[in-house]
Amino acid sequence: MVDRRDFLKASLLGASALALADNARAHTGLHAKAPSAKVISTWDFGVAANHAAWAVLDKGGHALDAVETGVQVPEADLKNHSVGRSGYPDRDGRLTLDASIMDADGNCGAVAALEHIAHPISVARKVMERTPHVLLVGDGALQFALEQGFKKEDLLTPESEQAWHEWLKTANYKPSINSEVHDYGKAALPGGSDNHDTIGMLALDTHGRLAGACTTSGMAWKLHGRVGDSPIIGAGLYVDGEVGAATSTGVGEEVIRNAGSFLVVELMRQGRSPQEACHEAVMRIVKRRPHAAKDLQVGFLAMNRHGEVGAWAIQPGFSYAVCDAQRQDGLLPAKSVY
Ligand code: SD4
């Protein structure tokens, strides 16, 4: 148990570590330069999403616009069965979408269990900008989206419907490990190992502004009404302009239990690098439920306000995409516990 004195010590150490880093930057003259833009996102489909975000960042655009534009790519991708249109439905055959967006100043918006709207991330942004609320769910979220001019569509593709019919033959629900390197060009097997991947994206723009977005169709074959971590601020996404940003993928219940993305950001505030913070957040999940953790995947991805990046997962196979002025197509394997 960490007592108050240890906690204060850790906070002070963290604060002084950040101050030292700032000092070092001042001495090397790095402060004088405009910050370098960077965008990172979860999984291999993050590469294409990063390209779209980079087009915004490269023009000097806002990190918030970059992440919204970026995650719209997998939301629209018919080959992607875990985000947006053509996602796999719940056990009742209904495709329900979760999304959240957040900027460096704590402004945020989210939707959960939203049906019939192709770009839930853009509805989340409208919740942030046009309502006094943070999260709208289900019918209320749909009503709001329609009022905002979004088009009502049937998003379930014949392929996803077919996969659901296959799953119904056994109707066996087991949140499985999405640890294989993703090949979303192939239809994932019903109930198979590839039934859930989310895009979480974090961006730093040339003005030094951070923002993040997270969007998903959640766990395939979930109970109707189930909401994962992705639209929960502090679980699937958290951004603090003074420190950094984090996002997550995997079994959302485990992330919610541990306020995962908030935890990663708070660990960075105390002086951990993004990599160390992601590692510690993953270990928190593993230590609390060691038996359950062997069979499930959770991955965290983080970037601090200086553009340093880190990631860690429970299982091998979690990859993340990195795009900046030096490399446009970076795809890196995250380290893992097992
Ligand atoms: C959820 N975290 O709904 C999402 C799903 C996911 O990799 O990320 N899968 O729990």
Side-chain angles (χ1 to χ4, degrees), residues 20-21 73 93 106 109 131 140 155 159 162 174 202 232-233 260:
L20 277 176
V73 172
T131 80
L155 302 177
E159 198 184 347
Q162 170 66 25
K174 185 174 183 297
L202 310 172
I232 309 290
I233 297 299

Side-chain angles (χ1 to χ4, degrees), residues 43 98 178 196-198 216 218-219 226 228-230 248-253:
W43 301 106
D98 295 344
N178 57 348
H196 53 94
D197 295 324
T198 290
T216 188
M219 312 289 273
R226 179 264 186 191
D229 56 324
S230 308
S248 62
T249 179
V251 179
E253 282 75 3

Side-chain angles (χ1 to χ4, degrees), residues 49-265:
N50 283 357
H51 278 178
W54 183 253
V56 176
L57 295 174
D58 200 31
K59 288 200 296 256
H62 201 297
L64 196 66
D65 294 326
V67 293
E68 181 186 4
T69 304
V71 302
Q72 283 177 344
V73 172
E75 279 185 342
D77 186 347
L78 294 181
K79 297 196 297 304
N80 188 324
H81 297 297
S82 52
V83 182
R85 188 191 290 279
S86 124
Y88 282 157
D90 64 22
R91 58 181 302 148
D92 298 342
R94 292 167 71 166
L95 176 56
T96 64
L97 304 173
D98 295 344
S100 63
I101 192 161
M102 187 165 191
D103 74 12
D105 301 321
N107 300 306
C108 51
V111 289
L114 172 64
E115 292 179 84
H116 305 302
I117 303 291
H119 289 297
I121 196 64
S122 300
V123 185
R125 183 161 178 182
K126 292 273 189 280
V127 172
M128 167 177 144
E129 291 176 341
R130 301 207 174 154
T131 80
H133 307 307
V134 167
L135 173 62
L136 293 180
V137 305
D139 288 347
L142 176 59
Q143 184 185 328
F144 171 72
L146 298 177
E147 282 164 11
Q148 293 296 315
F150 288 86
K151 194 168 125 205
K152 187 171 180 181
E153 294 179 72
D154 185 2
L155 302 177
L156 193 65
T157 59
E159 198 184 347
S160 294
E161 196 171 356
Q162 170 66 25
W164 171 58
H165 283 297
E166 281 300 312
W167 176 78
L168 280 177
K169 290 179 183 163
T170 56
N172 175 27
Y173 180 77
K174 185 174 183 297
S176 52
I177 298 172
N178 57 348
S179 62
E180 301 303 316
V181 172
H182 204 276
D183 180 1
Y184 66 97
K186 290 188 197 130
L189 291 174
S193 66
D194 214 6
N195 75 358
H196 53 94
D197 295 324
T198 290
I199 184 146
M201 175 178 279
L202 310 172
L204 179 67
D205 67 26
T206 51
H207 302 277
R209 296 172 298 212
L210 277 167
C214 189
T215 175
T216 188
S217 52
M219 312 289 273
W221 337 129
K222 62 195 174 186
L223 281 177
H224 182 62
R226 179 264 186 191
V227 171
D229 56 324
S230 308
I232 309 290
I233 297 299
L237 178 69
Y238 198 70
V239 182
D240 184 329
E242 284 184 359
V243 180
T247 188
S248 62
T249 179
V251 179
E253 282 75 3
E254 300 307 316
V255 180
I256 294 172
R257 269 188 244 283
N258 293 283
S261 292
F262 181 74
L263 176 61
V264 171
V265 171

Side-chain angles (χ1 to χ4, degrees), residues 15-31:
S16 53
L18 283 178
L20 277 176
D22 279 346
N23 239 336
R25 262 177 207 88
H27 282 108
T28 52
L30 283 175
H31 261 320

